[in-house]
Amino acid sequence: MSIVVGFVPTPAGEAALAAGIAEARLRSEDLLIVNSAREGAVVDKSVAPDSLLEQAARRAADAGVEARVIQPPYQHDLADEFLDVAREANASLIVIGLRHRTQVGKLILGSHAQRILMQADRPVLAVKADGGNF
């Protein structure tokens, strides 16, 4: 089994990575770091540069956790694709980061995190970056 972390280059993504590493170490499990981009997108701010992904894997290794980074492209829905990855990996835990969003932002844009929380068929740990207000 493994811990699956949704990682984006944001404070919430960093918080998720830190929590994922801690959980993987605590449970003596591997870590799967997932960073996805919409298939065919020319620019996607959620895509982490290779150097940052290498650094994330190195942080896990320094903590004694075996980690692997994957960047599966998604076509239709990020939440569905992410949950598929968690099922395929037989994850014991999903770790995601949360960020503050206004009510209007939630209504218009939806929430991948909310969908993951509600639709996951395994435990989800949702963390926020230090200093975040909800």
Side-chain angles (χ1 to χ4, degrees), residues 34-84:
V34 181
N35 177 252
S36 293
R38 181 175 295 278
E39 191 171 67
V42 178
V43 176
D44 188 338
K45 66 181 179 180
S46 65
V47 175
D50 290 342
S51 61
L52 190 57
L53 293 172
E54 290 167 7
Q55 181 183 11
R58 201 170 327 126
R59 283 175 52 192
D62 290 348
V65 172
E66 187 173 326
R68 185 168 57 104
V69 175
I70 63 169
Q71 290 186 289
Y74 66 96
Q75 293 180 352
H76 304 292
D77 186 86
L78 176 62
D80 287 342
E81 297 289 337
F82 185 78
L83 291 171
D84 286 346

mmCIF file of all heavy atoms in Angstrom, residues 34-84:
data_model
loop_
_atom_site.group_PDB
_atom_site.id
_atom_site.type_symbol
_atom_site.label_atom_id
_atom_site.label_comp_id
_atom_site.label_asym_id
_atom_site.label_seq_id
_atom_site.Cartn_x
_atom_site.Cartn_y
_atom_site.Cartn_z
ATOM 1 N N VAL A 34 1.560 12.916 -6.856
ATOM 2 C CA VAL A 34 0.825 13.085 -8.107
ATOM 3 C C VAL A 34 0.720 14.571 -8.441
ATOM 4 O O VAL A 34 0.246 15.362 -7.637
ATOM 5 C CB VAL A 34 -0.595 12.479 -8.005
ATOM 6 C CG1 VAL A 34 -1.343 12.640 -9.315
ATOM 7 C CG2 VAL A 34 -0.532 11.022 -7.582
ATOM 8 N N ASN A 35 1.154 14.915 -9.652
ATOM 9 C CA ASN A 35 1.053 16.289 -10.160
ATOM 10 C C ASN A 35 0.557 16.188 -11.595
ATOM 11 O O ASN A 35 1.272 15.700 -12.460
ATOM 12 C CB ASN A 35 2.419 16.981 -10.092
ATOM 13 C CG ASN A 35 2.392 18.372 -10.669
ATOM 14 O OD1 ASN A 35 2.932 18.615 -11.740
ATOM 15 N ND2 ASN A 35 1.767 19.296 -9.977
ATOM 16 N N SER A 36 -0.694 16.598 -11.819
ATOM 17 C CA SER A 36 -1.321 16.407 -13.131
ATOM 18 C C SER A 36 -1.576 17.711 -13.853
ATOM 19 O O SER A 36 -1.762 18.751 -13.239
ATOM 20 C CB SER A 36 -2.670 15.700 -12.964
ATOM 21 O OG SER A 36 -2.491 14.398 -12.506
ATOM 22 N N ALA A 37 -1.634 17.600 -15.168
ATOM 23 C CA ALA A 37 -1.973 18.738 -16.025
ATOM 24 C C ALA A 37 -3.063 18.315 -16.988
ATOM 25 O O ALA A 37 -3.134 17.143 -17.373
ATOM 26 C CB ALA A 37 -0.751 19.192 -16.815
ATOM 27 N N ARG A 38 -3.889 19.263 -17.361
ATOM 28 C CA ARG A 38 -4.919 18.966 -18.352
ATOM 29 C C ARG A 38 -4.239 18.606 -19.660
ATOM 30 O O ARG A 38 -3.338 19.301 -20.127
ATOM 31 C CB ARG A 38 -5.845 20.154 -18.560
ATOM 32 C CG ARG A 38 -6.955 19.854 -19.576
ATOM 33 C CD ARG A 38 -7.952 20.976 -19.693
ATOM 34 N NE ARG A 38 -8.706 21.192 -18.488
ATOM 35 C CZ ARG A 38 -9.785 20.495 -18.109
ATOM 36 N NH1 ARG A 38 -10.201 19.505 -18.860
ATOM 37 N NH2 ARG A 38 -10.419 20.783 -17.008
ATOM 38 N N GLU A 39 -4.655 17.496 -20.238
ATOM 39 C CA GLU A 39 -4.080 17.032 -21.495
ATOM 40 C C GLU A 39 -4.272 18.088 -22.583
ATOM 41 O O GLU A 39 -5.374 18.599 -22.780
ATOM 42 C CB GLU A 39 -4.745 15.723 -21.906
ATOM 43 C CG GLU A 39 -4.045 15.023 -23.034
ATOM 44 C CD GLU A 39 -4.626 13.636 -23.245
ATOM 45 O OE1 GLU A 39 -5.786 13.540 -23.659
ATOM 46 O OE2 GLU A 39 -3.899 12.665 -22.969
ATOM 47 N N GLY A 40 -3.196 18.440 -23.252
ATOM 48 C CA GLY A 40 -3.249 19.418 -24.333
ATOM 49 C C GLY A 40 -3.139 20.863 -23.890
ATOM 50 O O GLY A 40 -3.078 21.759 -24.717
ATOM 51 N N ALA A 41 -3.086 21.112 -22.576
ATOM 52 C CA ALA A 41 -2.975 22.490 -22.088
ATOM 53 C C ALA A 41 -1.572 23.015 -22.368
ATOM 54 O O ALA A 41 -0.582 22.356 -22.076
ATOM 55 C CB ALA A 41 -3.267 22.565 -20.600
ATOM 56 N N VAL A 42 -1.506 24.196 -22.942
ATOM 57 C CA VAL A 42 -0.208 24.804 -23.239
ATOM 58 C C VAL A 42 0.439 25.316 -21.956
ATOM 59 O O VAL A 42 1.629 25.129 -21.730
ATOM 60 C CB VAL A 42 -0.375 25.953 -24.265
ATOM 61 C CG1 VAL A 42 0.955 26.621 -24.537
ATOM 62 C CG2 VAL A 42 -0.980 25.424 -25.548
ATOM 63 N N VAL A 43 -0.361 25.946 -21.100
ATOM 64 C CA VAL A 43 0.126 26.474 -19.830
ATOM 65 C C VAL A 43 -0.822 26.020 -18.734
ATOM 66 O O VAL A 43 -2.039 26.101 -18.883
ATOM 67 C CB VAL A 43 0.178 28.017 -19.855
ATOM 68 C CG1 VAL A 43 0.596 28.564 -18.507
ATOM 69 C CG2 VAL A 43 1.107 28.502 -20.948
ATOM 70 N N ASP A 44 -0.270 25.522 -17.644
ATOM 71 C CA ASP A 44 -1.083 25.092 -16.516
ATOM 72 C C ASP A 44 -0.296 25.405 -15.254
ATOM 73 O O ASP A 44 0.747 24.798 -15.006
ATOM 74 C CB ASP A 44 -1.392 23.599 -16.629
ATOM 75 C CG ASP A 44 -2.398 23.120 -15.599
ATOM 76 O OD1 ASP A 44 -2.559 23.774 -14.555
ATOM 77 O OD2 ASP A 44 -3.018 22.073 -15.848
ATOM 78 N N LYS A 45 -0.798 26.339 -14.451
ATOM 79 C CA LYS A 45 -0.049 26.770 -13.265
ATOM 80 C C LYS A 45 0.038 25.702 -12.183
ATOM 81 O O LYS A 45 0.818 25.822 -11.260
ATOM 82 C CB LYS A 45 -0.642 28.053 -12.698
ATOM 83 C CG LYS A 45 -2.033 27.907 -12.148
ATOM 84 C CD LYS A 45 -2.566 29.222 -11.638
ATOM 85 C CE LYS A 45 -3.986 29.025 -11.119
ATOM 86 N NZ LYS A 45 -4.555 30.235 -10.622
ATOM 87 N N SER A 46 -0.756 24.640 -12.303
ATOM 88 C CA SER A 46 -0.677 23.571 -11.302
ATOM 89 C C SER A 46 0.434 22.571 -11.602
ATOM 90 O O SER A 46 0.736 21.719 -10.780
ATOM 91 C CB SER A 46 -2.022 22.833 -11.206
ATOM 92 O OG SER A 46 -2.313 22.168 -12.404
ATOM 93 N N VAL A 47 1.049 22.681 -12.773
ATOM 94 C CA VAL A 47 2.138 21.771 -13.124
ATOM 95 C C VAL A 47 3.427 22.245 -12.462
ATOM 96 O O VAL A 47 3.849 23.384 -12.632
ATOM 97 C CB VAL A 47 2.326 21.687 -14.658
ATOM 98 C CG1 VAL A 47 3.520 20.834 -15.001
ATOM 99 C CG2 VAL A 47 1.073 21.146 -15.308
ATOM 100 N N ALA A 48 4.021 21.345 -11.711
ATOM 101 C CA ALA A 48 5.271 21.672 -11.030
ATOM 102 C C ALA A 48 6.439 21.432 -11.969
ATOM 103 O O ALA A 48 6.449 20.451 -12.717
ATOM 104 C CB ALA A 48 5.416 20.816 -9.785
ATOM 105 N N PRO A 49 7.438 22.307 -11.938
ATOM 106 C CA PRO A 49 8.636 22.061 -12.752
ATOM 107 C C PRO A 49 9.374 20.816 -12.254
ATOM 108 O O PRO A 49 9.265 20.435 -11.083
ATOM 109 C CB PRO A 49 9.478 23.324 -12.544
ATOM 110 C CG PRO A 49 8.927 24.004 -11.355
ATOM 111 C CD PRO A 49 7.518 23.532 -11.168
ATOM 112 N N ASP A 50 10.098 20.181 -13.153
ATOM 113 C CA ASP A 50 10.833 18.953 -12.815
ATOM 114 C C ASP A 50 11.727 19.136 -11.598
ATOM 115 O O ASP A 50 11.819 18.245 -10.756
ATOM 116 C CB ASP A 50 11.669 18.486 -13.999
ATOM 117 C CG ASP A 50 10.817 17.950 -15.133
ATOM 118 O OD1 ASP A 50 9.639 17.617 -14.894
ATOM 119 O OD2 ASP A 50 11.331 17.862 -16.270
ATOM 120 N N SER A 51 12.370 20.286 -11.489
ATOM 121 C CA SER A 51 13.277 20.518 -10.366
ATOM 122 C C SER A 51 12.535 20.483 -9.034
ATOM 123 O O SER A 51 13.049 19.957 -8.034
ATOM 124 C CB SER A 51 14.011 21.851 -10.521
ATOM 125 O OG SER A 51 13.075 22.923 -10.557
ATOM 126 N N LEU A 52 11.323 21.007 -9.003
ATOM 127 C CA LEU A 52 10.526 21.000 -7.778
ATOM 128 C C LEU A 52 10.047 19.589 -7.437
ATOM 129 O O LEU A 52 10.023 19.183 -6.274
ATOM 130 C CB LEU A 52 9.344 21.953 -7.908
ATOM 131 C CG LEU A 52 8.542 22.237 -6.639
ATOM 132 C CD1 LEU A 52 9.439 22.789 -5.539
ATOM 133 C CD2 LEU A 52 7.417 23.213 -6.944
ATOM 134 N N LEU A 53 9.697 18.817 -8.457
ATOM 135 C CA LEU A 53 9.274 17.432 -8.228
ATOM 136 C C LEU A 53 10.437 16.584 -7.746
ATOM 137 O O LEU A 53 10.271 15.728 -6.861
ATOM 138 C CB LEU A 53 8.661 16.858 -9.503
ATOM 139 C CG LEU A 53 7.339 17.513 -9.924
ATOM 140 C CD1 LEU A 53 6.920 17.019 -11.294
ATOM 141 C CD2 LEU A 53 6.257 17.274 -8.892
ATOM 142 N N GLU A 54 11.628 16.817 -8.292
ATOM 143 C CA GLU A 54 12.817 16.108 -7.825
ATOM 144 C C GLU A 54 13.107 16.461 -6.366
ATOM 145 O O GLU A 54 13.468 15.599 -5.564
ATOM 146 C CB GLU A 54 14.019 16.455 -8.701
ATOM 147 C CG GLU A 54 13.929 15.874 -10.104
ATOM 148 C CD GLU A 54 14.954 16.458 -11.062
ATOM 149 O OE1 GLU A 54 15.835 17.237 -10.621
ATOM 150 O OE2 GLU A 54 14.870 16.138 -12.258
ATOM 151 N N GLN A 55 12.943 17.734 -6.038
ATOM 152 C CA GLN A 55 13.151 18.186 -4.668
ATOM 153 C C GLN A 55 12.136 17.525 -3.726
ATOM 154 O O GLN A 55 12.483 17.127 -2.612
ATOM 155 C CB GLN A 55 13.029 19.709 -4.595
ATOM 156 C CG GLN A 55 13.247 20.277 -3.223
ATOM 157 C CD GLN A 55 13.041 21.785 -3.202
ATOM 158 O OE1 GLN A 55 12.546 22.391 -4.144
ATOM 159 N NE2 GLN A 55 13.420 22.395 -2.101
ATOM 160 N N ALA A 56 10.895 17.378 -4.164
ATOM 161 C CA ALA A 56 9.857 16.740 -3.347
ATOM 162 C C ALA A 56 10.232 15.287 -3.060
ATOM 163 O O ALA A 56 10.134 14.823 -1.924
ATOM 164 C CB ALA A 56 8.501 16.824 -4.052
ATOM 165 N N ALA A 57 10.661 14.569 -4.086
ATOM 166 C CA ALA A 57 11.073 13.177 -3.904
ATOM 167 C C ALA A 57 12.295 13.085 -2.992
ATOM 168 O O ALA A 57 12.393 12.166 -2.164
ATOM 169 C CB ALA A 57 11.360 12.539 -5.261
ATOM 170 N N ARG A 58 13.202 14.030 -3.116
ATOM 171 C CA ARG A 58 14.390 14.051 -2.266
ATOM 172 C C ARG A 58 14.019 14.302 -0.804
ATOM 173 O O ARG A 58 14.591 13.698 0.113
ATOM 174 C CB ARG A 58 15.369 15.130 -2.748
ATOM 175 C CG ARG A 58 16.790 14.909 -2.292
ATOM 176 C CD ARG A 58 17.771 15.848 -2.982
ATOM 177 N NE ARG A 58 17.331 16.134 -4.336
ATOM 178 C CZ ARG A 58 17.150 17.367 -4.864
ATOM 179 N NH1 ARG A 58 17.427 18.387 -4.249
ATOM 180 N NH2 ARG A 58 16.726 17.568 -6.062
ATOM 181 N N ARG A 59 13.025 15.190 -0.563
ATOM 182 C CA ARG A 59 12.565 15.449 0.810
ATOM 183 C C ARG A 59 12.027 14.163 1.438
ATOM 184 O O ARG A 59 12.273 13.888 2.602
ATOM 185 C CB ARG A 59 11.476 16.522 0.823
ATOM 186 C CG ARG A 59 12.014 17.918 0.663
ATOM 187 C CD ARG A 59 10.949 18.970 0.565
ATOM 188 N NE ARG A 59 9.947 18.941 1.620
ATOM 189 C CZ ARG A 59 8.818 19.629 1.585
ATOM 190 N NH1 ARG A 59 8.536 20.395 0.542
ATOM 191 N NH2 ARG A 59 7.973 19.573 2.570
ATOM 192 N N ALA A 60 11.292 13.405 0.647
ATOM 193 C CA ALA A 60 10.765 12.134 1.153
ATOM 194 C C ALA A 60 11.902 11.175 1.464
ATOM 195 O O ALA A 60 11.922 10.555 2.535
ATOM 196 C CB ALA A 60 9.804 11.527 0.133
ATOM 197 N N ALA A 61 12.840 11.060 0.540
ATOM 198 C CA ALA A 61 13.978 10.152 0.746
ATOM 199 C C ALA A 61 14.773 10.554 1.988
ATOM 200 O O ALA A 61 15.191 9.685 2.763
ATOM 201 C CB ALA A 61 14.873 10.145 -0.490
ATOM 202 N N ASP A 62 14.977 11.848 2.184
ATOM 203 C CA ASP A 62 15.696 12.330 3.362
ATOM 204 C C ASP A 62 14.975 11.964 4.657
ATOM 205 O O ASP A 62 15.595 11.849 5.704
ATOM 206 C CB ASP A 62 15.904 13.848 3.297
ATOM 207 C CG ASP A 62 16.907 14.262 2.228
ATOM 208 O OD1 ASP A 62 17.619 13.381 1.691
ATOM 209 O OD2 ASP A 62 16.955 15.473 1.902
ATOM 210 N N ALA A 63 13.645 11.781 4.566
ATOM 211 C CA ALA A 63 12.846 11.395 5.736
ATOM 212 C C ALA A 63 12.743 9.875 5.860
ATOM 213 O O ALA A 63 12.043 9.368 6.732
ATOM 214 C CB ALA A 63 11.457 12.010 5.640
ATOM 215 N N GLY A 64 13.422 9.154 4.959
ATOM 216 C CA GLY A 64 13.392 7.701 5.013
ATOM 217 C C GLY A 64 12.183 7.078 4.334
ATOM 218 O O GLY A 64 11.826 5.937 4.609
ATOM 219 N N VAL A 65 11.566 7.830 3.420
ATOM 220 C CA VAL A 65 10.370 7.363 2.730
ATOM 221 C C VAL A 65 10.687 7.171 1.254
ATOM 222 O O VAL A 65 11.242 8.065 0.611
ATOM 223 C CB VAL A 65 9.217 8.395 2.881
ATOM 224 C CG1 VAL A 65 8.032 8.029 2.016
ATOM 225 C CG2 VAL A 65 8.813 8.520 4.349
ATOM 226 N N GLU A 66 10.321 6.006 0.725
ATOM 227 C CA GLU A 66 10.495 5.770 -0.699
ATOM 228 C C GLU A 66 9.368 6.487 -1.436
ATOM 229 O O GLU A 66 8.190 6.294 -1.128
ATOM 230 C CB GLU A 66 10.448 4.281 -1.000
ATOM 231 C CG GLU A 66 10.791 3.971 -2.439
ATOM 232 C CD GLU A 66 10.909 2.487 -2.698
ATOM 233 O OE1 GLU A 66 11.357 1.755 -1.800
ATOM 234 O OE2 GLU A 66 10.548 2.072 -3.808
ATOM 235 N N ALA A 67 9.729 7.327 -2.400
ATOM 236 C CA ALA A 67 8.728 8.126 -3.108
ATOM 237 C C ALA A 67 8.889 7.988 -4.605
ATOM 238 O O ALA A 67 9.990 7.785 -5.110
ATOM 239 C CB ALA A 67 8.850 9.590 -2.707
ATOM 240 N N ARG A 68 7.759 8.111 -5.270
ATOM 241 C CA ARG A 68 7.728 8.106 -6.733
ATOM 242 C C ARG A 68 6.832 9.254 -7.168
ATOM 243 O O ARG A 68 5.798 9.516 -6.565
ATOM 244 C CB ARG A 68 7.168 6.769 -7.213
ATOM 245 C CG ARG A 68 7.178 6.583 -8.699
ATOM 246 C CD ARG A 68 6.890 5.130 -9.086
ATOM 247 N NE ARG A 68 5.628 4.637 -8.560
ATOM 248 C CZ ARG A 68 4.530 4.475 -9.284
ATOM 249 N NH1 ARG A 68 4.535 4.744 -10.572
ATOM 250 N NH2 ARG A 68 3.433 4.009 -8.739
ATOM 251 N N VAL A 69 7.234 9.939 -8.220
ATOM 252 C CA VAL A 69 6.466 11.065 -8.770
ATOM 253 C C VAL A 69 5.842 10.632 -10.081
ATOM 254 O O VAL A 69 6.519 10.032 -10.924
ATOM 255 C CB VAL A 69 7.372 12.292 -9.019
ATOM 256 C CG1 VAL A 69 6.599 13.407 -9.691
ATOM 257 C CG2 VAL A 69 8.009 12.771 -7.718
ATOM 258 N N ILE A 70 4.551 10.921 -10.234
ATOM 259 C CA ILE A 70 3.901 10.689 -11.522
ATOM 260 C C ILE A 70 3.167 11.956 -11.938
ATOM 261 O O ILE A 70 2.729 12.730 -11.098
ATOM 262 C CB ILE A 70 2.937 9.478 -11.505
ATOM 263 C CG1 ILE A 70 1.778 9.700 -10.546
ATOM 264 C CG2 ILE A 70 3.685 8.201 -11.190
ATOM 265 C CD1 ILE A 70 0.677 8.662 -10.689
ATOM 266 N N GLN A 71 3.064 12.143 -13.242
ATOM 267 C CA GLN A 71 2.355 13.292 -13.798
ATOM 268 C C GLN A 71 1.362 12.816 -14.866
ATOM 269 O O GLN A 71 1.543 13.107 -16.045
ATOM 270 C CB GLN A 71 3.330 14.301 -14.384
ATOM 271 C CG GLN A 71 4.145 15.012 -13.329
ATOM 272 C CD GLN A 71 4.996 16.101 -13.928
ATOM 273 O OE1 GLN A 71 5.957 15.829 -14.617
ATOM 274 N NE2 GLN A 71 4.624 17.338 -13.651
ATOM 275 N N PRO A 72 0.328 12.119 -14.436
ATOM 276 C CA PRO A 72 -0.638 11.630 -15.426
ATOM 277 C C PRO A 72 -1.488 12.785 -15.958
ATOM 278 O O PRO A 72 -2.005 13.582 -15.180
ATOM 279 C CB PRO A 72 -1.492 10.646 -14.624
ATOM 280 C CG PRO A 72 -1.432 11.155 -13.228
ATOM 281 C CD PRO A 72 -0.055 11.744 -13.077
ATOM 282 N N PRO A 73 -1.633 12.887 -17.265
ATOM 283 C CA PRO A 73 -2.501 13.936 -17.799
ATOM 284 C C PRO A 73 -3.959 13.549 -17.583
ATOM 285 O O PRO A 73 -4.295 12.374 -17.530
ATOM 286 C CB PRO A 73 -2.162 13.955 -19.288
ATOM 287 C CG PRO A 73 -1.680 12.577 -19.571
ATOM 288 C CD PRO A 73 -1.012 12.096 -18.311
ATOM 289 N N TYR A 74 -4.801 14.553 -17.394
ATOM 290 C CA TYR A 74 -6.224 14.254 -17.275
ATOM 291 C C TYR A 74 -6.963 14.927 -18.418
ATOM 292 O O TYR A 74 -6.571 15.985 -18.890
ATOM 293 C CB TYR A 74 -6.800 14.672 -15.917
ATOM 294 C CG TYR A 74 -6.810 16.153 -15.648
ATOM 295 C CD1 TYR A 74 -7.950 16.908 -15.899
ATOM 296 C CD2 TYR A 74 -5.709 16.804 -15.111
ATOM 297 C CE1 TYR A 74 -7.969 18.269 -15.636
ATOM 298 C CE2 TYR A 74 -5.721 18.155 -14.846
ATOM 299 C CZ TYR A 74 -6.859 18.887 -15.108
ATOM 300 O OH TYR A 74 -6.879 20.233 -14.859
ATOM 301 N N GLN A 75 -8.017 14.278 -18.884
ATOM 302 C CA GLN A 75 -8.767 14.798 -20.019
ATOM 303 C C GLN A 75 -10.013 15.544 -19.589
ATOM 304 O O GLN A 75 -10.283 16.627 -20.079
ATOM 305 C CB GLN A 75 -9.166 13.664 -20.955
ATOM 306 C CG GLN A 75 -7.997 13.022 -21.641
ATOM 307 C CD GLN A 75 -8.443 11.890 -22.555
ATOM 308 O OE1 GLN A 75 -9.592 11.493 -22.561
ATOM 309 N NE2 GLN A 75 -7.525 11.378 -23.330
ATOM 310 N N HIS A 76 -10.784 14.956 -18.702
ATOM 311 C CA HIS A 76 -12.082 15.529 -18.400
ATOM 312 C C HIS A 76 -12.172 16.122 -17.009
ATOM 313 O O HIS A 76 -12.531 17.275 -16.846
ATOM 314 C CB HIS A 76 -13.173 14.473 -18.580
ATOM 315 C CG HIS A 76 -13.174 13.864 -19.953
ATOM 316 N ND1 HIS A 76 -13.526 14.575 -21.074
ATOM 317 C CD2 HIS A 76 -12.825 12.641 -20.380
ATOM 318 C CE1 HIS A 76 -13.413 13.807 -22.137
ATOM 319 N NE2 HIS A 76 -12.978 12.616 -21.747
ATOM 320 N N ASP A 77 -11.845 15.351 -16.010
ATOM 321 C CA ASP A 77 -12.056 15.801 -14.643
ATOM 322 C C ASP A 77 -10.884 15.402 -13.764
ATOM 323 O O ASP A 77 -10.590 14.216 -13.616
ATOM 324 C CB ASP A 77 -13.354 15.196 -14.112
ATOM 325 C CG ASP A 77 -13.694 15.751 -12.753
ATOM 326 O OD1 ASP A 77 -14.332 16.815 -12.692
ATOM 327 O OD2 ASP A 77 -13.289 15.125 -11.755
ATOM 328 N N LEU A 78 -10.249 16.392 -13.181
ATOM 329 C CA LEU A 78 -9.076 16.147 -12.343
ATOM 330 C C LEU A 78 -9.412 15.262 -11.146
ATOM 331 O O LEU A 78 -8.673 14.332 -10.829
ATOM 332 C CB LEU A 78 -8.480 17.476 -11.864
ATOM 333 C CG LEU A 78 -7.307 17.375 -10.895
ATOM 334 C CD1 LEU A 78 -6.144 16.659 -11.542
ATOM 335 C CD2 LEU A 78 -6.899 18.741 -10.397
ATOM 336 N N ALA A 79 -10.520 15.519 -10.471
ATOM 337 C CA ALA A 79 -10.873 14.743 -9.286
ATOM 338 C C ALA A 79 -11.050 13.268 -9.642
ATOM 339 O O ALA A 79 -10.545 12.388 -8.933
ATOM 340 C CB ALA A 79 -12.136 15.295 -8.635
ATOM 341 N N ASP A 80 -11.759 12.988 -10.729
ATOM 342 C CA ASP A 80 -11.954 11.597 -11.147
ATOM 343 C C ASP A 80 -10.631 10.922 -11.473
ATOM 344 O O ASP A 80 -10.394 9.782 -11.074
ATOM 345 C CB ASP A 80 -12.881 11.511 -12.364
ATOM 346 C CG ASP A 80 -14.330 11.787 -12.014
ATOM 347 O OD1 ASP A 80 -14.700 11.704 -10.825
ATOM 348 O OD2 ASP A 80 -15.104 12.106 -12.944
ATOM 349 N N GLU A 81 -9.782 11.617 -12.217
ATOM 350 C CA GLU A 81 -8.478 11.044 -12.588
ATOM 351 C C GLU A 81 -7.630 10.785 -11.344
ATOM 352 O O GLU A 81 -6.976 9.744 -11.237
ATOM 353 C CB GLU A 81 -7.731 11.974 -13.547
ATOM 354 C CG GLU A 81 -8.417 12.188 -14.872
ATOM 355 C CD GLU A 81 -8.385 10.974 -15.791
ATOM 356 O OE1 GLU A 81 -7.492 10.119 -15.627
ATOM 357 O OE2 GLU A 81 -9.259 10.892 -16.664
ATOM 358 N N PHE A 82 -7.656 11.725 -10.398
ATOM 359 C CA PHE A 82 -6.872 11.571 -9.174
ATOM 360 C C PHE A 82 -7.375 10.375 -8.365
ATOM 361 O O PHE A 82 -6.581 9.571 -7.861
ATOM 362 C CB PHE A 82 -6.946 12.862 -8.351
ATOM 363 C CG PHE A 82 -6.075 12.839 -7.134
ATOM 364 C CD1 PHE A 82 -4.711 13.054 -7.229
ATOM 365 C CD2 PHE A 82 -6.620 12.582 -5.886
ATOM 366 C CE1 PHE A 82 -3.900 13.015 -6.102
ATOM 367 C CE2 PHE A 82 -5.819 12.545 -4.751
ATOM 368 C CZ PHE A 82 -4.461 12.769 -4.861
ATOM 369 N N LEU A 83 -8.678 10.228 -8.246
ATOM 370 C CA LEU A 83 -9.245 9.098 -7.513
ATOM 371 C C LEU A 83 -8.934 7.776 -8.209
ATOM 372 O O LEU A 83 -8.712 6.759 -7.544
ATOM 373 C CB LEU A 83 -10.747 9.285 -7.325
ATOM 374 C CG LEU A 83 -11.129 10.422 -6.369
ATOM 375 C CD1 LEU A 83 -12.625 10.682 -6.409
ATOM 376 C CD2 LEU A 83 -10.652 10.135 -4.946
ATOM 377 N N ASP A 84 -8.887 7.790 -9.532
ATOM 378 C CA ASP A 84 -8.494 6.584 -10.273
ATOM 379 C C ASP A 84 -7.055 6.188 -9.926
ATOM 380 O O ASP A 84 -6.758 5.007 -9.729
ATOM 381 C CB ASP A 84 -8.621 6.796 -11.784
ATOM 382 C CG ASP A 84 -10.064 6.803 -12.261
ATOM 383 O OD1 ASP A 84 -10.968 6.382 -11.501
ATOM 384 O OD2 ASP A 84 -10.285 7.261 -13.405
#
